[in-house]
Amino acid sequence: MIVSEERESTTACREIRTIFVSDVHLGCMHSRAEEFLAFLKAHKPESLYLVGDLIDGWKLRKKWRWPESYNAILDRVEELSASGTEVFYTPGNHDNFLRDFGKRFGFVTLSDEFVHITADGRRFLIIHGDQFDKFETGAQWLSVLGSFAYDILLTANTLFNRVFRRKGQAKFALSSAIKSRVKQLMRFISDFEQKLASHARKRLCEGIICGHIHAPNILDIDGINYCNTGDWVEHCTALIEYSDGALEIVYFDQNIAPVNKPTVKTRTADQGVRPQVEVEMSGLLSRFWKRCHPLRLIRR
């Protein structure tokens, strides 16, 4: 079941036009693959954007883990494409091996960036966002260390909820709580958001849709509509575009109470932020979905 954090009464009568999802992290033990599969089976949008880190190559290199539910997810994406859904994929830092493929592979269009035109005519830049992570681009070992620490938090959170959660009580999102209270992390997130807003402005877009930091949110940053899709590790969120062009973050699991509710607010961007150099990609992605052939490259 999909629930909005602040669902309007008019939402139910609107059709879903586009779905944006990121950070499913197939291969990670904390990936909510079953929930993501149920989400995909519940909808048939005109367009589906996979906004990076669908596959966790970092984890798969260390230990191969590929249950049948993962193949079912890839099969469902192929089914959607066969029934008319356009599928777009922008790789992230955990599945950056896909950047070595071409621009199109069968039914999937692959690129570092896309420009999506909403039903009401607005231009949104679609990008995973790792290119604007100063740790990922300047000190990747810190990014790997952070990923390891994040896994520890998720494991601790699972044990915490299993031992202490009372029947009927909402689960506690430990990692979200820590992120919302550590000032250094909040400064990093704010800087990340502002850099992406500046990048969207450079691309002459009214908004930007990204993932990477696992923080679902919708913000107005100096006139740029910043949207983060969240993740399918702790939040189980997606960004939905309805037939009237309206955008909304939805939660799949209504039993999860996120610490930071996505809020629409204004944030002033730092005008001194230097725009990043765009990383362009050429070529097309092949059909690796059915038998996951590209994934086998990770194991070598």
Side-chain angles (χ1 to χ4, degrees):
M1 178 180 180
I2 298 174
V3 294
S4 167
E5 190 61 24
E6 293 181 2
R7 178 171 291 279
E8 301 175 0
S9 59
T10 57
T11 297
C13 62
R14 289 183 291 176
E15 293 183 358
I16 292 176
R17 180 174 184 256
T18 313
I19 292 176
F20 307 87
V21 293
S22 72
D23 297 278
V24 183
H25 288 276
L26 299 180
C28 173
M29 64 179 294
H30 298 292
S31 175
R32 304 284 292 277
E34 295 291 345
E35 290 89 338
F36 183 62
L37 177 59
F39 171 79
L40 289 179
K41 286 183 175 180
H43 299 285
K44 184 183 175 300
E46 294 180 19
S47 301
L48 171 65
Y49 284 87
L50 303 170
V51 193
D53 286 359
L54 173 68
I55 300 159
D56 197 326
W58 295 8
K59 297 294 188 296
L60 291 173
R61 287 190 191 101
K62 295 179 180 178
K63 182 178 181 181
W64 185 255
R65 182 180 182 275
W66 197 265
E68 187 57 36
S69 59
Y70 292 5
N71 285 332
I73 287 172
L74 302 182
D75 289 343
R76 175 55 183 166
V77 174
E78 187 174 19
E79 284 177 12
L80 287 171
S81 175
S83 63
T85 298
E86 290 187 282
V87 182
F88 303 94
Y89 196 139
T90 173
N93 52 319
H94 285 258
D95 52 10
N96 60 1
F97 63 93
L98 292 175
R99 287 171 173 151
D100 295 332
F101 286 80
K103 190 176 179 182
R104 186 169 186 81
F105 195 98
F107 59 88
V108 182
T109 303
L110 179 73
S111 179
D112 264 359
E113 294 183 354
F114 295 101
V115 174
H116 174 75
I117 310 297
T118 60
D120 55 1
R122 291 176 295 164
R123 287 168 52 88
F124 275 80
L125 189 67
I126 316 298
I127 185 172
H128 181 65
D130 58 300
Q131 301 93 328
F132 296 89
D133 181 341
K134 58 186 177 183
F135 296 110
E136 183 64 32
T137 57
Q140 194 178 56
W141 67 272
L142 282 174
S143 182
V144 173
L145 181 62
S147 178
F148 176 73
Y150 183 62
D151 283 345
I152 293 176
L153 279 176
L154 291 175
T155 300
N157 187 73
T158 300
L159 294 173
F160 178 88
N161 283 316
R162 187 177 298 166
V163 174
F164 295 104
R165 187 167 67 106
R166 295 178 181 177
K167 187 176 182 181
Q169 185 178 358
K171 295 179 183 177
F172 180 64
L174 178 61
S175 57
S176 291
I178 291 175
K179 282 188 285 187
S180 68
R181 286 164 174 78
V182 179
K183 290 183 178 180
Q184 195 66 28
L185 277 173
M186 292 305 296
R187 281 198 293 269
F188 164 77
I189 291 174
S190 177
D191 182 63
F192 175 83
E193 293 166 346
Q194 292 173 2
K195 284 180 179 179
L196 284 169
S198 297
H199 186 58
R201 187 177 292 106
K202 178 183 175 183
R203 292 285 180 268
L204 303 179
C205 292
E206 288 96 330
I208 189 160
I209 296 171
C210 63
H212 186 56
I213 59 173
H214 296 207
N217 215 341
I218 296 178
L219 295 170
D220 182 272
I221 303 177
D222 281 359
I224 298 296
N225 195 352
Y226 166 91
C227 303
N228 193 296
T229 62
D231 65 277
W232 288 81
V233 175
E234 60 178 314
H235 294 103
C236 290
T237 53
L239 181 72
I240 299 294
E241 180 205 356
Y242 294 101
S243 55
D244 59 0
L247 295 170
E248 181 181 32
I249 291 175
V250 294
Y251 286 79
F252 177 80
D253 190 343
Q254 61 182 341
N255 294 320
I256 294 179
V259 173
N260 279 333
K261 297 180 181 180
T263 55
V264 180
K265 57 184 177 181
T266 300
R267 183 173 291 171
T268 302
D270 182 2
Q271 299 302 321
V273 173
R274 297 176 60 185
Q276 300 285 325
V277 178
E278 178 188 11
V279 179
E280 296 287 357
M281 277 186 27
S282 60
L284 281 183
L285 176 67
S286 306
R287 294 173 64 100
F288 68 93
W289 300 97
K290 193 69 176 178
R291 301 301 174 195
C292 306
H293 291 160
L295 300 179
R296 294 172 187 160
L297 299 176
I298 308 174
R299 303 175 68 177
R300 297 177 183 176

